[in-house]
């Protein structure tokens, strides 16, 4: 397997021999490679991959004995991906013959874009800079802590892996959109890029912790942080409880992502810092109420709607837009951006509820029905319980036993609440468009923000 990193430096190859130091086959393989003059490292375990080994390296080749599990080799590939060696392209059925090139820092995969993907467009250009800002920070942090000990970089690598898996960059998109719609120019571009990068790392913090609280097994099509590290604990034969270890690593990973988010936004001033502080507080308080409603099993549509607005509507759309406008020096846009952002954000959350209940896991990248399995009192479920006695009865039965996901899903469909929610989303999108009528925005941003509201409300993932 070759892992290639594009560079302007002269090509330097590193050969990683994957296998136990106690095994004679990998040891002989390492000796043979060294005899040929190549730079070689024996890698007994993926956790022992030292980022310092990659300094000045353009190409990494992985060699593994036939007895080494493909899962182990794949974990090495994932760690290399977190350090910038990504975009696997397999030349043969076995992992030993794959070629991996460094993915250019040109933004998220096209399937997740909420913009036109035109590199000449100011929004796309600033999104690309945001992505590069995050990657540069994480690469530097991987090297910094990897130099102390390869194991010290584990939470940084976990953040990098989640970022590399490809998110929608939705909150950075709205922050940059708010900035440009407010007429922001080149003078404050560095500030809005740093703030947008901070928003995306705040999202990583929320996702990693949310996955622990929801007991989710997958995120963006890959195992969640706590699941991956619990599996590592089990495979390695370490002492203690594997689940507690995995969740501990995930909590620290989320904390570190929050720390990086604050680091990136430390230079915000005045109204912009006020928006940032309120945003962070709201998402945490919203999450607290979310888990409290799940514990109480209280189908309260009004409170469930408030939670949806607080932890999703404001956090996803309203506050990022307001943050961008504040950086651009347009405080008078706070009111229309709030009206637009809350309605578009509620539509976003309602779509999230529908995707969890009725979506396709291959498209969403996470398990379907997780809200039901974890007793989450979503707005969809609260509305269903308020409308239909059968849904209310099934919800109430959850006090004494786990909910029956199939029965509850069927009851929701029969109640007609799915169509009610679709109708509600239509109304919210119309309200978001109306909120921007007559608002003095730069260029074609009224039309573009209307289109963004539609995209977040009618997405398939």
């Amino acid at each position: 397997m070759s892992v290639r990193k594009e560079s302007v430096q002269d090509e330097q190859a590193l050969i990683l021999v994957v296998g136990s130091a106690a095994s004679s086959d990998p040891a002989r393989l390492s000796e043979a490679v060294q005899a040929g003059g190549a730079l070689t490292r024996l890698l007994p375990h993926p956790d022992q991959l030292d980022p310092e080994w990659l300094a000045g390296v353009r190409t990494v080749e992985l060699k593994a004995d036939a007895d080494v599990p493909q899962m182990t080799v794949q974990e090495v590939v994932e760690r290399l991906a977190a350090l910038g060696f990504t975009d696997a392209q397999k030349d043969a059925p076995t992992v030993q013959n794959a070629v991996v090139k460094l993915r250019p820092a040109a933004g998220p995969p096209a399937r997740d874009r909420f913009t036109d993907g035109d590199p000449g467009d100011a929004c796309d250009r600033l999104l690309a800079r945001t992505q590069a800002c995050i990657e540069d920070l994480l690469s530097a942090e991987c090297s910094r802590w990897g130099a102390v000990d390869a194991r010290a970089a584990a939470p940084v690598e976990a953040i990098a892996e989640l970022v590399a898996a490809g998110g929608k960059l939705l909150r950075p998109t709205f922050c940059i959109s708010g900035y440009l719609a407010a007429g922001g120019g080149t003078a404050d571009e560095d500030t809005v890029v740093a703030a947008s990068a901070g928003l995306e790392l705040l999202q990583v913090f929320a996702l990693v912790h949310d996955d622990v609280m929801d007991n989710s097994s997958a995120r963006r099509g890959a195992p969640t942080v706590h699941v991956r590290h619990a599996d590592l604990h089990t495979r390695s034969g370490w002492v203690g409880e594997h689940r507690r270890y995995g969740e501990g690593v995930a909590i620290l990973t989320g904390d570190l992502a929050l720390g990086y988010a604050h680091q990136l936004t430390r230079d915000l001033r005045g109204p912009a810092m006020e928006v940032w502080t309120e945003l962070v507080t709201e998402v945490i308080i919203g999450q607290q109420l979310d888990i409290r409603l799940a514990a109480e099993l209280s189908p309260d549509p009004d409170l469930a709607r408030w939670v949806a607005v607080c932890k999703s509507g404001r956090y996803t759309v309203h506050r990022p837009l307001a943050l961008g406008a504040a950086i651009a020096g347009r405080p008078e846009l706070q009111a229309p951006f709030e009206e637009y952002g809350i309605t578009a954000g509620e539509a976003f959350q309602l779509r999230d509820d529908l995707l969890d209940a009725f979506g396709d896991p291959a498209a969403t990248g996470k398990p379907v029905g997780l809200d039901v399995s974890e007793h989450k009192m979503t707005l969809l479920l609260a509305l269903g319980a308020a409308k239909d006695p059968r849904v209310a009865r099934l919800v109430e039965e959850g006090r004494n036993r786990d909910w029956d996901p199939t029965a509850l899903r069927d009851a929701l469909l029969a109640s007609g609440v799915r169509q009610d929610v679709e109708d509600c989303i239509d109304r919210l999108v119309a309200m978001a468009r109306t909120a921007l009528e007559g608002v003095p925005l730069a260029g074609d941003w009224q039309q573009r923000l209307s289109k963004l509201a539609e995209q977040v409300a009618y997405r398939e993932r």
Side-chain angles (χ1 to χ4, degrees), residues 111 113-114 168 170 174 343-352 354-355 363 418-433 449-461:
R111 61 182 171 83
R113 293 304 287 259
F114 280 85
K168 291 179 281 290
L170 184 54
F174 275 110
T343 50
E346 185 177 349
F348 169 85
Q349 182 57 49
L350 285 171
R351 178 61 58 194
D352 231 27
L354 289 174
L355 288 173
R418 181 178 186 180
Q419 187 57 51
D420 292 345
V421 170
E422 290 286 4
D423 294 341
C424 182
I425 289 174
D426 291 342
R427 291 192 297 271
L428 289 165
V429 171
M431 291 169 64
R433 292 198 200 98
L449 286 173
S450 293
K451 182 180 178 181
L452 268 174
E454 293 176 4
Q455 288 177 302
V456 300
Y458 301 114
R459 72 194 193 282
E460 296 181 356
R461 54 177 289 116

Side-chain angles (χ1 to χ4, degrees), residues 70-190:
Q70 287 199 0
M71 182 181 296
T72 300
V73 179
Q74 186 59 39
E75 190 170 342
V76 176
V77 171
E78 291 170 358
R79 289 189 172 277
L80 286 167
L83 297 169
F85 294 79
T86 57
D87 286 351
Q89 177 185 353
K90 293 186 178 181
D91 296 328
T94 63
V95 292
Q96 282 80 4
N97 293 314
V99 175
V100 183
K101 295 182 179 179
L102 178 65
R103 175 170 57 82
R111 61 182 171 83
D112 282 333
R113 293 304 287 259
F114 280 85
T115 58
D116 293 333
D118 178 3
D121 179 78
C123 187
D124 285 287
R125 178 174 56 81
L126 292 175
L127 279 172
R129 286 191 58 192
T130 297
Q131 188 86 352
C133 175
I134 296 170
E135 291 172 352
D136 290 347
L137 169 65
L138 296 178
S139 178
E141 288 293 284
C142 277
S143 296
R144 174 190 178 192
W145 296 111
V148 175
D149 187 278
R151 293 164 291 189
V156 188
E157 291 168 354
I159 296 171
E161 287 163 3
L162 188 54
V163 169
K168 291 179 281 290
L169 287 184
L170 184 54
R171 290 149 196 87
T173 295
F174 275 110
C175 181
I176 292 169
S177 296
Y179 175 78
L180 295 172
T186 58
D188 294 312
E189 279 193 358
D190 289 348

Side-chain angles (χ1 to χ4, degrees), residues 18 94 101 114 117 249 351 356 361 397 408 433 444:
V18 184
T94 63
K101 295 182 179 179
F114 280 85
V249 173
R351 178 61 58 194
D356 181 86
E397 288 175 355
L408 201 46
R433 292 198 200 98
D444 62 348

Side-chain angles (χ1 to χ4, degrees), residues 210 213 278-294 303-304 306-312 315 376:
D210 202 42
M213 289 182 280
E278 191 67 15
L279 183 156
V280 174
T281 302
E282 283 174 342
V283 71
I284 295 173
I285 296 300
Q287 186 61 61
Q288 151 62 22
L289 278 174
D290 193 29
I291 63 174
R292 181 64 176 264
L293 289 179
L303 189 54
W306 190 92
V307 171
V309 169
C310 184
K311 67 170 286 195
S312 184
Y315 164 61
K376 292 192 72 173

Side-chain angles (χ1 to χ4, degrees), residues 28 55 186 344 401:
R28 284 200 299 269
T186 58
R401 62 182 181 184

Side-chain angles (χ1 to χ4, degrees), residues 90-427:
K90 293 186 178 181
D91 296 328
T94 63
V95 292
Q96 282 80 4
N97 293 314
V99 175
V100 183
K101 295 182 179 179
L102 178 65
R103 175 170 57 82
R111 61 182 171 83
D112 282 333
R113 293 304 287 259
F114 280 85
T115 58
D116 293 333
D118 178 3
D121 179 78
C123 187
D124 285 287
R125 178 174 56 81
L126 292 175
L127 279 172
R129 286 191 58 192
T130 297
Q131 188 86 352
C133 175
I134 296 170
E135 291 172 352
D136 290 347
L137 169 65
L138 296 178
S139 178
E141 288 293 284
C142 277
S143 296
R144 174 190 178 192
W145 296 111
V148 175
D149 187 278
R151 293 164 291 189
V156 188
E157 291 168 354
I159 296 171
E161 287 163 3
L162 188 54
V163 169
K168 291 179 281 290
L169 287 184
L170 184 54
R171 290 149 196 87
T173 295
F174 275 110
C175 181
I176 292 169
S177 296
Y179 175 78
L180 295 172
T186 58
D188 294 312
E189 279 193 358
D190 289 348
T191 302
V192 78
V193 165
S196 298
L199 283 167
E200 187 63 13
L201 288 175
L202 180 66
Q203 172 68 353
V204 171
F205 148 75
L207 292 179
V208 173
H209 282 190
D210 202 42
D211 287 339
V212 172
M213 289 182 280
D214 292 348
N215 195 29
S216 181
S217 61
R219 170 71 65 180
R220 295 177 180 172
T224 51
V225 175
H226 68 281
V227 167
R228 177 175 298 181
H229 284 273
D231 289 345
L232 173 62
H233 184 284
T234 300
R235 295 197 312 270
S236 302
W238 295 338
V239 299
E241 184 183 351
H242 68 281
R243 175 170 178 167
R244 184 169 182 174
Y245 175 82
E247 291 180 348
V249 173
I251 290 169
L252 294 173
T253 297
D255 291 346
L256 187 60
L258 178 60
Y260 289 150
H262 284 311
Q263 176 182 325
L264 286 164
T265 56
R266 66 182 180 274
D267 292 331
L268 292 176
R269 295 289 180 268
M273 180 55 78
E274 291 177 10
V275 173
W276 171 259
T277 302
E278 191 67 15
L279 183 156
V280 174
T281 302
E282 283 174 342
V283 71
I284 295 173
I285 296 300
Q287 186 61 61
Q288 151 62 22
L289 278 174
D290 193 29
I291 63 174
R292 181 64 176 264
L293 289 179
E296 293 179 352
L297 212 59
S298 174
D300 183 337
D302 291 336
L303 189 54
R305 177 173 285 110
W306 190 92
V307 171
V309 169
C310 184
K311 67 170 286 195
S312 184
R314 292 186 183 276
Y315 164 61
T316 301
V317 185
H318 166 213
R319 296 299 185 191
L321 270 175
L323 181 58
I327 293 171
R330 293 283 304 278
E332 72 275 13
L333 292 178
Q334 297 298 315
F337 277 178
E338 179 176 7
E339 185 178 351
Y340 166 90
I342 289 178
T343 50
E346 185 177 349
F348 169 85
Q349 182 57 49
L350 285 171
R351 178 61 58 194
D352 231 27
D353 292 350
L354 289 174
L355 288 173
D356 181 86
F358 310 109
D360 178 3
T364 61
K366 58 183 180 180
V368 169
L370 191 61
D371 289 344
V372 171
S373 65
E374 293 302 314
H375 280 194
K376 292 192 72 173
M377 187 52 62
T378 64
L379 180 53
L380 170 68
L381 199 54
L383 291 171
K387 178 180 182 178
D388 188 279
R390 182 187 174 198
V391 176
R393 176 177 56 80
L394 289 170
V395 168
E396 182 62 25
E397 288 175 355
R399 294 185 182 277
N400 303 314
R401 62 182 181 184
D402 289 340
W403 279 335
D404 182 336
T406 301
L408 201 46
R409 181 179 184 275
D410 291 344
L412 285 169
L413 283 172
S415 73
V417 73
R418 181 178 186 180
Q419 187 57 51
D420 292 345
V421 170
E422 290 286 4
D423 294 341
C424 182
I425 289 174
D426 291 342
R427 291 192 297 271

